[in-house]
Amino acid sequence: MEKLIINAAITGARNLRDIAPYIPYTPEEIVQSSIECWRAGAAVVHIHVRDPESGLGAQDPELFRQVVEPLREQTDVIVNLTTSGIAGRNLPNEDRLKSLELKPDMASFDAGSINLGGGVFINPPDFLDLAASEMKRLNVKPEIEVFDSGMITTALAMRKKGQLEDPMYFQFVLGTPSGAVATPQSLLHLTELIPDGSIWSVTGMGKAHLPMSMLALAMGGHIRLGMEDNLYYERGVLAKTNAQFVERIVRISREYGREIASPEEAGKILGLSKEGRK
Ligand code: ZN
């Protein structure tokens, strides 16, 4: 079976320290946690940035730069930047995409809108058109985030028009309050809708994290984990670091007989061009 790509979603932009006391806020903390995950076996880090004081989500290219540059200097990890914008604020499309100028290897491409976190996570067609063309221009691989099956329909229509290219990389985000449920049937259904030769990964929110990870392990998919999606290492016990999640999946996967992909190996599986990688 293909080696397992572990994608660590370090902080997200939703959970604040009142419920997540160990979550990284500052660029330095995000870098530190990313390096720990990379050392533990994560090939990809999925990065949001936050206002260092309030912890609220930010989309400031300068904050992204303070994360990307040290990671480029100190690691060979695949850098995946969010383009999600700021919850509750309808940022101009261009502002959501400014961080692409930092030439990350990948960036999130949320292929539709959905109710999320008490508001609407807005990804209208004009944003998707611009995001696809900017990612192509800057040689950034879209991580097609899928919260429900309609987002696959959208991505496939854009593939038909040449806006998204093979091999497509899908990230199934299951178990959000208004999205596809985190069950084996739901995951199976989504994997049946994507083109042959696509690469897929899954994350389950909260307590769905481990069940979805185990399915991905057995089905040949890949795994996203980390405090963006899940705060608890086990029932009632907060994780103190993101690396704890990585270390557990590495142990289980090796016992299962599936090796872990290095960043270089993951880059080949994902079809990342050499140019973007160091
Ligand atoms: Zn994210």
Side-chain angles (χ1 to χ4, degrees), residues 9 12-14 46-48 82 84 108 110 143 145 224 228-229:
R14 289 185 308 277
H46 170 74
I47 302 291
H48 290 246
T82 188
S84 66
S108 62
D110 294 281
E143 177 195 40
E145 290 193 336
R224 171 169 131 175
E228 174 168 351
D229 304 331

Side-chain angles (χ1 to χ4, degrees), residues 36-177:
E36 288 168 12
C37 289
W38 167 70
R39 288 209 176 107
V44 183
V45 287
H46 170 74
I47 302 291
H48 290 246
V49 290
R50 295 168 178 251
D51 178 280
E53 309 231 304
S54 67
L56 295 172
Q59 195 70 38
D60 177 357
E62 173 54 23
L63 289 171
F64 277 112
R65 192 187 60 72
Q66 290 173 29
V67 174
V68 172
E69 284 185 357
L71 289 180
R72 292 296 196 207
E73 280 159 22
Q74 297 173 50
T75 76
D76 67 345
V77 77
I78 293 171
V79 175
N80 175 353
L81 298 185
T82 188
T83 61
S84 66
I86 302 174
R89 275 181 53 197
N90 209 350
L91 281 188
N93 292 343
E94 292 74 18
D95 288 0
R96 288 175 60 177
L97 299 169
K98 271 185 189 153
S99 53
L100 299 181
E101 298 287 348
L102 295 165
K103 300 268 185 90
D105 305 290
M106 314 179 75
S108 62
F109 182 93
D110 294 281
S113 305
I114 189 166
N115 289 351
L116 193 65
V120 187
F121 180 26
I122 298 176
N123 296 288
D126 65 331
F127 173 71
L128 297 182
D129 288 344
L130 185 64
S133 72
E134 283 294 275
M135 288 187 199
K136 212 182 241 194
R137 179 174 75 83
L138 295 162
N139 196 24
V140 176
K141 175 101 181 170
E143 177 195 40
I144 303 165
E145 290 193 336
V146 168
F147 290 68
D148 66 35
S149 66
M151 297 192 188
I152 298 177
T153 312
T154 299
L156 295 185
M158 293 183 74
R159 175 183 185 240
K160 218 173 200 173
K161 288 198 259 173
Q163 293 172 285
L164 295 173
E165 291 174 345
D166 290 344
M168 297 173 95
Y169 171 56
F170 291 92
Q171 183 70 257
F172 302 129
V173 182
L174 302 189
T176 64

Side-chain angles (χ1 to χ4, degrees), residues 226-238:
M227 291 186 190
E228 174 168 351
D229 304 331
N230 172 41
L231 298 173
Y232 287 87
Y233 188 76
E234 57 187 82
R235 195 182 173 91
V237 181
L238 286 166

